[in-house]
Amino acid sequence: MNKPYSILLYYCYTPIEDPEAFREQHHLFCLELNLLGRIIVSKEGLNGTVSGLKEDCDKYMAAMHADPRFAKIDFKVDESDKHAFAKLHVRTKAEIVHSGLLHIDPNVRTGKHLAPKEFKEMKDRDDVVVVDMRSDYEYTVGRFKNAVTLDIENFREFPEKVEELKEKFKDKKILTYCTGGIKCEKASAFLLEQGFEDVYQLHGGIIKYGKEAGGEDFEGKCYVFDNRVAVDVNSVNPKVISTCHVCGTPDDRMVNCANPVCNLHVAICEKCGWELDGACSTECKEHPEKRPYDGTGYYQKEMNGYNPLKGFNRKKKTDVQV
Ligand SMILES: [Zn+2]
Ligand SMILES: [Zn+2]
């Protein structure tokens, strides 16, 4: 315990009047704190995951909480030996998670938030259906036992799947969950709009459930969008649900294929990893551009020429008011 770095995961649906101006100022603030990661800013709020020294992350959280717009942010904090990102991106987009549901404001109406312990208590009832709001590559690595999953590669496809849910579960209580809770804000609101009456969402997502409810009945690992790729959340009754892509034995060691052209992201066991030298197949093993395998299956992106100031637009002299 007490590792030097923190990894933060957070979001906030709150009106931001001038997203571009906010973005620039926020980017500079993150640079000053030596944070790395990805932050999306929009008129509807912000969505971020960053890493930095613990004291810098603490300063960041304190500053955010001191701003009335962001006072309600529920930061999910993990400790780490090092940064979990190689770069810093602060970008503006139309939505903080692309759903196409621009008309929905979760501050007006959304599914009822359940604390991890409430979710745990409700999820196995007969009149309840647990729905995973994440994409196929995420729930393949890990999901709640008995959860309904959607055949989607991206969250923007979710609205198309609601008819299927209606046909099967119209009269059930719906409990939604995702990684950190952000997707469920709009997804549960959309389910209410579509006529579902009892809709709940896991507040803080799988990550918070791991911390506060021991991750009970979450099978496999939780996919995350940083260098860790997937994290353990279940300390109560963990189970491996994925199998080695090569030999089929149960294994949850996620790697990228060492052939950069393939780069397939799958589970490969330790033994097959060494036998295929980090590749997913013999063809990939023989590929001329195959990267050297160090046993991790993780390949740092090319960092030459990266400058943390990249993406930060300094105002032109003429714009500066004196
Ligand atoms: Zn294997
Ligand atoms: Zn491959």
Side-chain angles (χ1 to χ4, degrees):
M1 290 307 246
N2 283 327
K3 295 178 181 172
Y5 286 80
S6 296
I7 303 170
L8 310 181
L9 180 66
Y10 55 99
Y11 69 87
C12 190
Y13 277 101
T14 190
I16 295 178
E17 273 193 11
D18 184 347
E20 191 47 51
F22 178 87
R23 188 209 73 80
E24 195 166 303
Q25 180 196 29
H26 200 69
H27 193 139
L28 184 60
F29 180 50
C30 293
L31 285 174
E32 285 165 2
L33 291 172
N34 292 307
L35 300 182
L36 297 176
R38 272 189 302 270
I39 299 170
I40 297 168
V41 178
S42 107
K43 272 184 169 6
E44 65 179 10
L46 105 181
N47 172 17
T49 175
V50 296
S51 62
L53 283 168
K54 185 180 178 301
E55 51 268 36
D56 292 330
C57 287
D58 290 347
K59 274 184 212 161
Y60 179 79
M61 290 188 282
M64 292 301 278
H65 279 152
D67 183 327
R69 289 175 295 180
F70 308 115
K72 65 176 179 183
I73 293 185
D74 183 17
F75 285 96
K76 272 73 71 180
V77 186
D78 275 336
E79 44 180 38
S80 174
D81 291 318
K82 51 183 191 291
H83 267 299
F85 299 91
K87 299 182 182 180
L88 173 68
H89 292 294
V90 187
R91 293 183 171 126
T92 54
K93 290 192 177 174
E95 291 179 284
I96 55 176
V97 177
H98 186 21
S99 67
L101 303 170
L102 280 157
H103 66 290
I104 289 181
D105 178 357
N107 290 317
V108 175
R109 185 160 85 139
T110 187
K112 192 166 182 282
H113 291 95
L114 294 176
K117 283 178 184 141
E118 295 174 300
F119 180 90
K120 185 171 107 176
E121 196 270 314
M122 262 185 90
K123 70 182 180 52
D124 297 320
R125 291 190 200 165
D126 290 340
D127 59 342
V128 160
V129 173
V130 175
V131 184
D132 193 318
M133 288 298 155
R134 301 169 305 151
S135 305
D136 48 10
Y137 61 90
E138 297 173 275
Y139 62 69
T140 307
V141 186
R143 57 186 174 267
F144 276 103
K145 187 173 79 184
N146 304 327
V148 170
T149 55
L150 305 168
D151 180 21
I152 56 173
E153 280 175 42
N154 190 295
F155 186 56
R156 65 174 175 265
E157 300 160 42
F158 161 70
E160 299 161 21
K161 296 290 168 182
V162 171
E163 282 305 315
E164 287 174 30
L165 291 176
K166 264 194 204 170
E167 277 164 33
K168 293 183 197 154
F169 310 117
K170 181 79 188 171
D171 302 317
K172 300 272 190 185
K173 288 189 170 68
I174 307 286
L175 266 59
T176 70
Y177 73 90
C178 62
T179 313
I182 186 172
K183 288 177 179 173
C184 292
E185 297 283 353
K186 280 197 178 182
S188 63
F190 187 64
L191 291 172
L192 287 167
E193 189 183 276
Q194 294 295 307
F196 286 88
E197 285 181 5
D198 263 333
V199 186
Y200 302 79
Q201 56 184 315
L202 174 56
H203 191 45
I206 301 158
I207 299 298
K208 195 165 182 182
Y209 184 86
K211 297 181 197 304
E212 294 186 9
E216 189 171 336
D217 294 333
F218 187 86
E219 299 180 335
K221 293 189 175 198
C222 180
Y223 195 97
V224 290
F225 295 86
D226 61 59
N227 290 351
R228 295 170 300 168
V229 184
V231 297
D232 288 317
V233 293
N234 189 337
S235 54
V236 180
N237 55 352
K239 190 178 167 186
V240 174
I241 61 162
S242 46
T243 54
C244 171
H245 174 76
V246 183
C247 71
T249 55
D251 204 287
D252 59 3
R253 215 178 61 104
M254 298 303 293
V255 304
N256 277 109
C257 174
N259 169 10
V261 181
C262 170
N263 205 41
L264 189 67
H265 186 60
V266 284
I268 295 182
C269 76
E270 188 83 34
K271 183 169 161 282
C272 292
W274 289 113
E275 277 175 17
L276 287 173
D277 203 21
C280 75
S281 64
T282 37
E283 295 81 69
C284 283
K285 186 184 178 184
E286 262 121 56
H287 194 277
E289 288 168 53
K290 196 192 83 63
R291 302 170 282 202
Y293 181 58
D294 67 0
T296 66
Y298 173 73
Y299 304 92
Q300 184 78 46
K301 290 199 186 88
E302 192 61 65
M303 291 298 293
N304 292 343
Y306 173 68
N307 178 336
L309 278 164
K310 198 175 161 202
F312 173 66
N313 308 318
R314 278 174 193 287
K315 281 207 168 79
K316 284 182 218 109
K317 269 234 168 83
T318 49
D319 296 342
V320 178
Q321 293 188 345
V322 194

